[in-house]
Every structure is written in structure tokens, then in C-alpha cells.
Amino acid sequence: RLLQAKEMEAFQTMSAFLVHDLKNTASTLSLILQNLHAHFEDPMFRQDALRAMSKSVTHINDLISRLSVLRHKLELHPVEADLNEVVAKSLAGLESAPDLAWVKDLRPLPKVRIDLDQFQKVIVNLLLNAKEAVSANGHIQVETSQRDGWAVLSVSDNGCGMSPEFLARSLFRPFRTTKKNGTGIGMFHSKMIVEAHRGKIEVQSETGKGTTFRVLLPLSAKNP
């Protein structure tokens, strides 16, 4: 309980930093608006203004998505769904990445009850993590299967891997990450979503050799 309280305190601190970042972005947009009337006829100014506004909007949306994790209690709206279809939709657009081999093995499964939006966040997070972990000519394998009453989604890569110390002490903890520009929120949030579905996450990883994440969902449990 003490550890959870400290982590929530850290979340509140993080939200304060994000709000500060939002204010800075708003100030940038305000400056653009102030200069818009005087320099609107200058095509170079319009190009720079549009570029800055686009960048600011993207940044704001990213910050808001992170804040939504901090501010709201996770609520599920589960429906009967084909896990393979959800995985295929999540893969769309990622498979075209150059110098990266995607291997799919989506085996027939009974339908599961999941919140489509929330669970897709988990899948996309796992796929992007795998994509970022591998170098050129990397290999990512995405599989679905059944095991002892569970539907299993497996995402494996041959990337940088994680150390035993990081696995034991930091994975699934907020603000702990191996990424240079990461926030350490993605896997913490993914674990929350999976456990809210009465599922679980397994992980195997070895430094320099790669990582496998397995998400297990119950096939016969009551509705989440």
C-alpha cells in the first residue's frame, strides 16, 4: 500500500509537469496569434506558423493522452470480439515499416469479451515497443493461440532485450523505462488494462537477444 501511495504521488507530480508543458505550448500558440495580423501576408511567416501550429497540436494531443491515464478511473465497456481481428487492425500501417520483418500466426480462437478501445491500446503499445526495440533488419513475430482456458497474444522481437534487474524492479512501474525519450507509462497502463479484463501479462527477455510479451485473457470467465 505504501508503494502504491508513493507511485500515485509520483503520478500527481508528473501531471503537474505535463500541465506546465501544456502552458508553454499554449504560450507558443499565443505568440503566433499575436503576430498573425501583422505578418499574415508574408508567405514564409505563414509556412512557419502552420508548421509550429501543427507541431503544437500534436504535442498537446500527446500530453492529453498521458493526462487521461492519470486523471480517470479505468472503465471498461466489453463486447464480444474476435481477438485476431483486433490484432490485425492494430497491425495495419505498422507492417509497411522498411527493413523490418513482421511474421503473423493468428490461429482460430473463441471470441473474447474485451473493451475494444482499451485493449487496442495494449496491442499497439506492445507492437510499438517491439518495433522500437529492434534495429535494421529486425524481426517481430505476432501470434495468437489457446492455452489452458486462456486466449494468448504473443509479441516477440529480436531486439535489445531487458536486463533481469529491470524486469524484476522496473517493468510495469510508472516512470521506469529503457527508452531515451520514454515516459514509462505505457506498460504500466497496459498492465492495468489487462488486469481489468481479469487477464495477465507474462514476459521473457534477455539483453541483446530480444523480448517476448504474452497477454492472457480468460475464455470462460465472467464479464470484466
Side-chain angles (χ1 to χ4, degrees):
R1 290 192 189 118
L2 180 60
L3 178 61
Q4 290 175 347
K6 287 183 178 294
E7 289 177 348
M8 290 308 301
E9 181 181 0
F11 261 91
Q12 292 170 0
T13 303
M14 183 68 172
S15 67
F17 284 123
L18 293 176
V19 168
H20 177 72
D21 206 348
L22 278 172
K23 289 181 179 178
N24 288 345
T25 305
S27 296
T28 300
L29 292 173
S30 179
L31 286 172
I32 294 172
L33 290 173
Q34 289 173 23
N35 293 318
L36 188 62
H37 180 72
H39 301 287
F40 185 76
E41 299 303 325
D42 183 351
M44 292 298 294
F45 173 80
R46 291 202 300 269
Q47 282 186 354
D48 289 339
L50 286 172
R51 191 180 301 114
M53 291 172 66
S54 177
K55 184 178 179 181
S56 296
V57 169
T58 299
H59 185 55
I60 288 171
N61 285 332
D62 180 58
L63 291 172
I64 290 172
S65 68
R66 297 182 201 175
L67 281 170
S68 67
V69 178
L70 309 178
R71 295 180 304 168
H72 300 298
K73 181 180 178 181
L74 181 62
E75 294 184 1
L76 299 182
H77 303 283
V79 296
E80 293 280 341
D82 184 332
L83 181 60
N84 289 333
E85 288 184 4
V86 181
V87 172
K89 288 180 180 179
S90 302
L91 274 167
L94 292 177
E95 294 177 288
S96 60
D99 300 324
L100 188 59
W102 293 88
V103 178
K104 289 188 299 184
D105 183 11
L106 307 182
R107 304 173 189 175
L109 290 171
K111 288 192 174 182
V112 293
R113 285 191 62 82
I114 55 175
D115 183 304
L116 292 174
D117 289 338
Q118 293 289 350
F119 203 79
Q120 192 165 35
K121 292 178 184 178
V122 176
I123 299 172
V124 170
N125 187 57
L126 292 176
L127 296 176
L128 289 178
N129 281 353
K131 182 174 178 290
E132 293 172 4
V134 301
S135 55
N137 301 314
H139 177 276
I140 298 175
Q141 186 156 339
V142 183
E143 300 177 348
T144 56
S145 60
Q146 292 186 59
R147 187 177 82 192
D148 301 328
W150 299 87
V152 183
L153 165 64
S154 174
V155 178
S156 303
D157 66 71
N158 64 342
C160 57
M162 294 174 282
S163 69
E165 292 78 16
F166 185 85
L167 289 174
R169 300 178 182 179
S170 299
L171 185 67
F172 305 123
R173 295 276 301 280
F175 317 121
R176 308 291 180 88
T177 180
T178 59
K179 300 179 185 178
K180 183 177 180 181
N181 296 316
T183 61
I185 292 177
M187 288 310 305
F188 174 78
H189 192 208
S190 294
K191 186 171 184 285
M192 272 176 47
I193 294 171
V194 171
E195 290 181 347
H197 284 83
R198 296 196 177 94
K200 54 187 178 181
I201 298 184
E202 299 175 348
V203 58
Q204 293 176 304
S205 187
E206 188 173 348
T207 305
K209 293 189 176 181
T211 301
T212 296
F213 279 98
R214 295 184 188 88
V215 176
L216 288 80
L217 291 173
L219 288 174
S220 58
K222 295 180 181 179
N223 297 345

